[in-house]
Amino acid sequence: MRVLLVEDDQPIADSLRRGLVRYGYEVTWVRTGAEALAAEPADMVLLDLGLPDVDGLDVCRELRARGDVPIIVISARAEEVDRVVGLEIGADDYVSKPFGVREVIARMRAVARRARPAAAEPPPPDALAGGRLVIDRRARRVHVDGTELALSPKEYDLLAYLADAPGAALTREQIMEAVWDAHWFGPTKTLDVHIGALRRKLGDAAVVETVRGVGFRLVVAG
């Protein structure tokens, strides 16, 4: 899916763009309303309202007049009146800052299902199997050798994220952004605590290896 990201704040844009690319989206980033209106057609638009040249609501109105591309407003304007106006002029959803990447992804998938039910993105597999380890994503349950592991919600999220790319070295920043979201400001020591807990619970069915100076990777036993 091609996404047009209209956002003037570069740190927010960089963080959101990394997250979207990680989930398989193709992202075009522009900073102004004029650039947004001149950009190539996209499958979805993420639109900030605080643009340097025009009000994002005007951009939303113009994009809606041109066609039915799904539009999700992302804005620091959290007042009810702004939400109502945005939705009334054609936005499909409204996300207030600060937000997490996973929340935006979930909103995008919901909007895509409503806009194009027949062409909606396929859901993730019900289960991911790797040797002795089985991750049932729909039920959020994990089994090793047929026995269910007692994982906390964050332990499950961490394992599921590592299992998305078994064998790949993932940086601490990528993991923190994906599991604790882009606006996590707590200590990264919490990641080490959760890694330690996973290692104890997985035993030798899967190994969470430390990649020195980078982060971690999951190696699933055969």
PDB file of all heavy atoms in Angstrom, residues 30 40 42 44 57 82 98 103 119 140 158 178 181 185 218:
ATOM      1  N   VAL A  30       5.826  14.342   2.573  1.00  0.00           N
ATOM      2  CA  VAL A  30       5.875  15.748   2.175  1.00  0.00           C
ATOM      3  C   VAL A  30       5.579  16.594   3.402  1.00  0.00           C
ATOM      4  O   VAL A  30       4.962  16.122   4.370  1.00  0.00           O
ATOM      5  CB  VAL A  30       4.875  16.074   1.047  1.00  0.00           C
ATOM      6  CG1 VAL A  30       5.195  15.277  -0.209  1.00  0.00           C
ATOM      7  CG2 VAL A  30       3.439  15.816   1.498  1.00  0.00           C
ATOM      8  N   GLU A  40       1.878  12.371  -6.256  1.00  0.00           N
ATOM      9  CA  GLU A  40       1.248  11.285  -7.000  1.00  0.00           C
ATOM     10  C   GLU A  40       0.142  10.663  -6.153  1.00  0.00           C
ATOM     11  O   GLU A  40       0.229  10.632  -4.923  1.00  0.00           O
ATOM     12  CB  GLU A  40       2.287  10.215  -7.347  1.00  0.00           C
ATOM     13  CG  GLU A  40       3.329  10.664  -8.359  1.00  0.00           C
ATOM     14  CD  GLU A  40       2.716  10.893  -9.735  1.00  0.00           C
ATOM     15  OE1 GLU A  40       1.830  10.102 -10.136  1.00  0.00           O
ATOM     16  OE2 GLU A  40       3.108  11.865 -10.399  1.00  0.00           O
ATOM     17  N   ALA A  42      -2.068   8.305  -3.958  1.00  0.00           N
ATOM     18  CA  ALA A  42      -1.685   7.265  -3.003  1.00  0.00           C
ATOM     19  C   ALA A  42      -2.908   6.440  -2.635  1.00  0.00           C
ATOM     20  O   ALA A  42      -4.045   6.792  -2.971  1.00  0.00           O
ATOM     21  CB  ALA A  42      -1.068   7.904  -1.756  1.00  0.00           C
ATOM     22  N   MET A  44      -3.594   5.785   0.559  1.00  0.00           N
ATOM     23  CA  MET A  44      -4.071   6.337   1.819  1.00  0.00           C
ATOM     24  C   MET A  44      -3.254   7.576   2.150  1.00  0.00           C
ATOM     25  O   MET A  44      -2.073   7.665   1.792  1.00  0.00           O
ATOM     26  CB  MET A  44      -3.970   5.313   2.952  1.00  0.00           C
ATOM     27  CG  MET A  44      -4.545   5.803   4.278  1.00  0.00           C
ATOM     28  SD  MET A  44      -4.720   4.483   5.516  1.00  0.00           S
ATOM     29  CE  MET A  44      -5.920   3.401   4.745  1.00  0.00           C
ATOM     30  N   LEU A  57      -6.972  21.268   7.137  1.00  0.00           N
ATOM     31  CA  LEU A  57      -8.379  21.025   6.835  1.00  0.00           C
ATOM     32  C   LEU A  57      -8.702  21.393   5.390  1.00  0.00           C
ATOM     33  O   LEU A  57      -9.522  20.732   4.740  1.00  0.00           O
ATOM     34  CB  LEU A  57      -9.274  21.824   7.796  1.00  0.00           C
ATOM     35  CG  LEU A  57      -9.278  21.343   9.254  1.00  0.00           C
ATOM     36  CD1 LEU A  57     -10.087  22.308  10.115  1.00  0.00           C
ATOM     37  CD2 LEU A  57      -9.838  19.927   9.369  1.00  0.00           C
ATOM     38  N   ASP A  82     -12.442  20.269  16.440  1.00  0.00           N
ATOM     39  CA  ASP A  82     -11.513  19.954  15.350  1.00  0.00           C
ATOM     40  C   ASP A  82     -11.780  18.556  14.806  1.00  0.00           C
ATOM     41  O   ASP A  82     -11.724  18.320  13.586  1.00  0.00           O
ATOM     42  CB  ASP A  82     -10.064  20.058  15.842  1.00  0.00           C
ATOM     43  CG  ASP A  82      -9.677  21.487  16.192  1.00  0.00           C
ATOM     44  OD1 ASP A  82      -9.843  22.357  15.328  1.00  0.00           O
ATOM     45  OD2 ASP A  82      -9.230  21.724  17.311  1.00  0.00           O
ATOM     46  N   PRO A  98       0.043  12.924  21.245  1.00  0.00           N
ATOM     47  CA  PRO A  98       0.992  11.926  20.732  1.00  0.00           C
ATOM     48  C   PRO A  98       0.296  10.591  20.497  1.00  0.00           C
ATOM     49  O   PRO A  98      -0.710  10.283  21.126  1.00  0.00           O
ATOM     50  CB  PRO A  98       2.016  11.821  21.856  1.00  0.00           C
ATOM     51  CG  PRO A  98       1.232  12.124  23.088  1.00  0.00           C
ATOM     52  CD  PRO A  98       0.223  13.171  22.681  1.00  0.00           C
ATOM     53  N   GLU A 103      -0.923   2.125  16.980  1.00  0.00           N
ATOM     54  CA  GLU A 103      -2.279   2.672  16.930  1.00  0.00           C
ATOM     55  C   GLU A 103      -2.604   3.161  15.522  1.00  0.00           C
ATOM     56  O   GLU A 103      -3.699   2.913  14.996  1.00  0.00           O
ATOM     57  CB  GLU A 103      -2.436   3.834  17.915  1.00  0.00           C
ATOM     58  CG  GLU A 103      -3.820   4.478  17.850  1.00  0.00           C
ATOM     59  CD  GLU A 103      -3.943   5.747  18.670  1.00  0.00           C
ATOM     60  OE1 GLU A 103      -2.955   6.149  19.319  1.00  0.00           O
ATOM     61  OE2 GLU A 103      -5.036   6.347  18.646  1.00  0.00           O
ATOM     62  N   ALA A 119     -10.838  -5.707  -0.979  1.00  0.00           N
ATOM     63  CA  ALA A 119      -9.389  -5.663  -1.193  1.00  0.00           C
ATOM     64  C   ALA A 119      -8.641  -5.368   0.091  1.00  0.00           C
ATOM     65  O   ALA A 119      -7.517  -4.922   0.059  1.00  0.00           O
ATOM     66  CB  ALA A 119      -9.056  -4.599  -2.240  1.00  0.00           C
ATOM     67  N   ARG A 140      -3.403 -14.803  20.903  1.00  0.00           N
ATOM     68  CA  ARG A 140      -2.311 -14.264  21.732  1.00  0.00           C
ATOM     69  C   ARG A 140      -1.847 -15.313  22.758  1.00  0.00           C
ATOM     70  O   ARG A 140      -1.699 -15.022  23.938  1.00  0.00           O
ATOM     71  CB  ARG A 140      -2.731 -12.964  22.427  1.00  0.00           C
ATOM     72  CG  ARG A 140      -2.898 -11.800  21.471  1.00  0.00           C
ATOM     73  CD  ARG A 140      -3.354 -10.543  22.210  1.00  0.00           C
ATOM     74  NE  ARG A 140      -2.378 -10.118  23.203  1.00  0.00           N
ATOM     75  CZ  ARG A 140      -1.337  -9.324  22.957  1.00  0.00           C
ATOM     76  NH1 ARG A 140      -1.112  -8.874  21.734  1.00  0.00           N
ATOM     77  NH2 ARG A 140      -0.528  -8.960  23.933  1.00  0.00           N
ATOM     78  N   LEU A 158       6.608  -8.644  22.710  1.00  0.00           N
ATOM     79  CA  LEU A 158       8.037  -8.683  22.402  1.00  0.00           C
ATOM     80  C   LEU A 158       8.386  -9.933  21.610  1.00  0.00           C
ATOM     81  O   LEU A 158       9.076  -9.856  20.574  1.00  0.00           O
ATOM     82  CB  LEU A 158       8.839  -8.627  23.704  1.00  0.00           C
ATOM     83  CG  LEU A 158      10.356  -8.776  23.595  1.00  0.00           C
ATOM     84  CD1 LEU A 158      10.942  -7.708  22.683  1.00  0.00           C
ATOM     85  CD2 LEU A 158      10.992  -8.705  24.989  1.00  0.00           C
ATOM     86  N   ALA A 178       8.477  -0.455  18.494  1.00  0.00           N
ATOM     87  CA  ALA A 178       7.400  -1.349  18.068  1.00  0.00           C
ATOM     88  C   ALA A 178       6.591  -1.879  19.239  1.00  0.00           C
ATOM     89  O   ALA A 178       5.368  -1.992  19.157  1.00  0.00           O
ATOM     90  CB  ALA A 178       7.983  -2.512  17.272  1.00  0.00           C
ATOM     91  N   ASP A 181       5.991   1.542  21.800  1.00  0.00           N
ATOM     92  CA  ASP A 181       5.530   2.608  20.918  1.00  0.00           C
ATOM     93  C   ASP A 181       6.544   3.736  20.798  1.00  0.00           C
ATOM     94  O   ASP A 181       7.494   3.846  21.565  1.00  0.00           O
ATOM     95  CB  ASP A 181       4.116   3.098  21.242  1.00  0.00           C
ATOM     96  CG  ASP A 181       3.996   4.229  22.250  1.00  0.00           C
ATOM     97  OD1 ASP A 181       4.837   5.142  22.237  1.00  0.00           O
ATOM     98  OD2 ASP A 181       3.018   4.208  23.009  1.00  0.00           O
ATOM     99  N   PHE A 185       9.228   7.042  26.820  1.00  0.00           N
ATOM    100  CA  PHE A 185      10.313   7.838  27.373  1.00  0.00           C
ATOM    101  C   PHE A 185      10.877   7.220  28.653  1.00  0.00           C
ATOM    102  O   PHE A 185      11.618   7.854  29.375  1.00  0.00           O
ATOM    103  CB  PHE A 185       9.827   9.264  27.670  1.00  0.00           C
ATOM    104  CG  PHE A 185       9.464  10.022  26.429  1.00  0.00           C
ATOM    105  CD1 PHE A 185       8.142  10.279  26.130  1.00  0.00           C
ATOM    106  CD2 PHE A 185      10.439  10.459  25.552  1.00  0.00           C
ATOM    107  CE1 PHE A 185       7.803  10.976  24.980  1.00  0.00           C
ATOM    108  CE2 PHE A 185      10.109  11.147  24.397  1.00  0.00           C
ATOM    109  CZ  PHE A 185       8.779  11.410  24.113  1.00  0.00           C
ATOM    110  N   LEU A 218      15.977 -13.403  17.394  1.00  0.00           N
ATOM    111  CA  LEU A 218      15.356 -14.646  17.840  1.00  0.00           C
ATOM    112  C   LEU A 218      15.794 -15.782  16.928  1.00  0.00           C
ATOM    113  O   LEU A 218      15.660 -15.698  15.709  1.00  0.00           O
ATOM    114  CB  LEU A 218      13.834 -14.529  17.812  1.00  0.00           C
ATOM    115  CG  LEU A 218      13.060 -15.775  18.248  1.00  0.00           C
ATOM    116  CD1 LEU A 218      13.224 -15.997  19.751  1.00  0.00           C
ATOM    117  CD2 LEU A 218      11.579 -15.645  17.894  1.00  0.00           C
TER     118      LEU A 218
END
